[in-house]
Amino acid sequence: MLYGWELITEKEKKLISEGIRCGEALGGPWHMVLFPTDRCNIDCFFCYTETLRNLAKELDWELLRPALLEGVDMGVKSVSFGGGGEPLIYRSLGPLFDLIEEKKLKVDSIKTNGTALTESVARRLIGSGLSRITISLNDTRPEEYEKICRASPRLFEKAMGGIHNIVEAKRKAGSDCEISVQVFVWRENYKRLPRMIEDLLPTDADFIYVNSIDGLDPKLKMTGSQKEEFRKILVPVIEEHARRIQFNLAAEGLHRFAIEEQYKHYPRAIELPGICKTPHRVEFCYMGWYTAVIEAGGDLFPCCHFTTDPSKSLGNLHSSSLKEIWQGEPMRRFRGEMRHLLLTDADPGLLPRHPRFIFPLCMERTACAFNYYLCDPAFYMDLYNWAKKNGGSYRAIRKLKSLPIRAARKIKRFLSSRNRI
């Protein structure tokens, strides 16, 4: 479960479930994702948020504070941190932590580069009930860090110190927070993966997250022969460290190989606790009834995948209250499209003609963790069974509406084939 779902009472779950069934929000939000700043103190060459960082937007505390207080009144119990920049260099981080502690909010998770993860910040994060933290170190050698992050070796030392600080804070508090340190592999460093893992094992982080780089220039990706060589490197690495490694090698086309190899040695590595164990999809996205993202410019988005696309904004805190945006038309449309996927079993042939929010990730069961791991299995199964029982008429209407569209497509294909002849 993610985003503080474990804090939700049975009464609140029922309220969320009833809202999904009728297509409205009957409460909430219960969680807020905060992207407080687009400023960053490193400049990773591959970062997809480079355009955001160039604008260097940052949430004014006088805007964020009342929005969070309003959220608490509406039901918010937890927050998470991420963003286009480094969240721990947010200029109002101290007052933000003070408010989190005053209102007894849980910090569920954070993604950080670790350079500003001081002893004090680490203690406050752990003290807030932090469940998971991912520290993007990217590489484990100062000279390589300098190249990939376009930052000084001094910041590398700060990042390593940040890892130490959060591990120590966890140990002293007896916390069960999951600490992951992320490194990237690409054609320039894949041969050094065994050494990177050896470098990180002494940190006592729970996991070493071996990631590939989405959106990387094809010229910088591994060649076919390099992938073959990397497979041979991975086999003994996985055999020795299967319990400590997490993988996402999809961008290099090697993810299935890695997890299948890992499964041989440690099946639990790819078996999440509290997940629906069914061969077919029973989980759908319920983010629109539970949470929203507040971005550095004050825009609210339904989830983190949309934050670089202004057309997906639900509204802006500079002109509307949190409650007005939560109950507003754009958010209602997002809920309607996600409810549509539930009622049609994400049938691509029954999609709305001009969906605004349905993203390729929404269509696949495990393409996005929030598709299948936000809620608990009983909650997912209850809604799936309801949709199976009550979605027949909805699907029939959608099929009727799609007939003219499908007919037009067939005519277009027929005419195109005639033109080729």
Side-chain angles (χ1 to χ4, degrees):
M1 297 178 290
L2 302 171
Y3 281 0
W5 183 264
E6 71 278 6
L7 304 175
I8 303 302
T9 66
E10 290 302 317
K11 182 178 179 181
E12 289 164 340
K13 287 180 187 178
K14 185 176 181 181
L15 206 59
I16 297 169
S17 176
E18 289 175 354
I20 294 167
R21 294 169 199 236
C22 71
E24 299 288 343
L26 303 180
W30 280 271
H31 180 86
M32 295 305 301
V33 184
L34 306 179
F35 285 15
T37 183
D38 286 341
R39 295 186 305 116
C40 195
N41 55 350
I42 63 176
D43 186 25
C44 302
F45 79 88
F46 55 81
C47 186
Y48 76 97
T49 63
E50 184 175 6
T51 54
L52 298 178
R53 289 186 284 113
N54 288 340
L55 297 173
K57 293 182 293 183
E58 185 159 289
L59 273 169
D60 188 330
W61 177 237
E62 297 307 313
L63 184 72
L64 178 57
R65 184 179 184 277
L68 277 178
L69 290 173
E70 185 181 14
V72 171
D73 288 341
M74 294 169 69
V76 169
K77 299 183 176 191
S78 58
V79 297
S80 295
F81 288 97
E86 168 50 46
L88 294 183
I89 65 169
Y90 177 47
R91 290 184 177 96
S92 298
L93 188 67
L96 175 54
F97 275 176
D98 290 343
L99 183 62
I100 286 170
E101 290 166 1
E102 177 191 340
K103 297 301 179 181
K104 296 181 172 55
L105 299 178
K106 172 188 174 70
V107 177
D108 178 75
S109 55
I110 182 170
K111 294 179 181 177
T112 172
N113 63 35
T115 58
L117 192 54
T118 63
E119 289 183 18
S120 173
V121 169
R123 283 196 303 270
R124 296 188 84 168
L125 284 171
I126 293 295
S128 72
L130 187 68
S131 291
R132 59 189 65 82
I133 180 170
T134 301
I135 302 165
S136 294
L137 187 64
N138 301 340
D139 207 298
T140 64
R141 289 302 160 106
E143 63 277 10
E144 297 301 326
Y145 180 92
E146 184 175 7
K147 285 192 292 186
I148 196 171
C149 299
R150 297 187 287 205
S152 74
R154 179 180 60 85
L155 285 175
F156 172 80
E157 296 303 326
K158 284 193 170 186
M160 291 299 292
I163 297 170
H164 170 78
N165 291 337
I166 197 70
V167 169
E168 278 299 294
K170 171 184 174 176
R171 182 184 63 79
K172 289 177 181 177
S175 164
D176 59 359
C177 173
E178 179 183 293
I179 301 172
S180 296
V181 179
Q182 176 177 257
V183 293
F184 285 103
V185 288
W186 56 305
R187 68 182 300 168
E188 296 297 323
N189 73 349
Y190 70 91
K191 294 180 182 179
R192 294 192 298 103
L193 179 62
R195 185 58 184 267
M196 287 195 281
I197 290 172
E198 292 299 327
D199 288 341
L200 290 176
L201 287 174
T203 67
D204 288 332
D206 298 296
F207 296 103
I208 299 164
Y209 182 27
V210 181
N211 205 349
S212 51
I213 302 174
D214 286 321
L216 190 65
D217 187 324
K219 292 183 290 188
L220 298 177
K221 289 191 173 186
M222 298 180 209
T223 64
S225 60
Q226 288 171 331
K227 289 179 183 180
E228 281 303 310
E229 184 180 17
F230 189 41
R231 284 188 180 94
K232 294 175 183 177
I233 292 169
L234 280 171
V235 171
V237 165
I238 293 171
E239 183 176 1
E240 185 174 358
H241 304 295
R243 292 171 179 261
R244 294 285 301 278
I245 305 178
Q246 296 172 327
F247 286 106
N248 181 2
L249 298 179
E252 293 287 355
L254 293 168
H255 188 64
R256 180 175 291 277
F257 172 83
I259 61 172
E260 287 180 351
E261 194 66 30
Q262 190 174 21
Y263 187 81
K264 296 176 187 176
H265 303 285
Y266 187 51
R268 286 181 58 191
I270 61 171
E271 293 177 359
L272 290 168
I275 195 169
C276 296
K277 298 183 184 301
T278 58
H280 56 280
R281 182 176 185 178
V282 299
E283 319 92 334
F284 293 86
C285 177
Y286 303 135
M287 297 278 277
W289 290 267
Y290 186 70
T291 186
V293 179
I294 302 179
E295 182 266 342
D299 282 299
L300 262 71
F301 291 90
C303 83
C304 58
H305 296 297
F306 296 131
T307 54
T308 56
D309 183 354
S311 71
K312 303 296 191 294
S313 172
L314 304 169
N316 192 289
L317 291 173
H318 286 282
S319 55
S320 304
S321 70
L322 178 63
K323 186 172 184 179
E324 287 170 340
I325 298 172
W326 184 250
Q327 298 291 354
E329 182 56 34
M331 189 56 142
R332 292 174 68 184
R333 178 167 177 177
F334 174 72
R335 294 185 190 110
E337 291 186 12
M338 295 304 109
R339 182 175 180 270
H340 169 90
L341 294 182
L342 167 66
L343 288 168
T344 62
D345 207 18
D347 186 339
L350 297 179
L351 286 176
R353 189 168 186 179
H354 299 292
R356 178 177 174 184
F357 294 106
I358 294 176
F359 202 61
L361 291 174
C362 309
M363 301 294 293
E364 300 292 335
R365 182 180 192 181
T366 59
C368 171
F370 300 109
N371 280 351
Y372 66 93
Y373 204 49
L374 172 66
C375 314
D376 59 87
F379 186 87
Y380 283 126
M381 286 302 304
D382 180 58
L383 279 167
Y384 174 78
N385 290 331
W386 168 81
K388 276 302 199 186
K389 182 178 179 181
N390 297 280
S393 58
Y394 182 88
R395 288 190 294 272
I397 292 169
R398 293 305 310 178
K399 284 179 181 178
L400 286 172
K401 288 184 176 181
S402 69
L403 284 176
I405 300 172
R406 284 186 283 176
R409 287 173 181 164
K410 287 181 180 180
I411 292 170
K412 187 175 180 180
R413 284 197 297 269
F414 173 74
L415 292 175
S416 296
S417 65
R418 290 288 299 269
N419 289 337
R420 285 196 297 270
I421 295 171

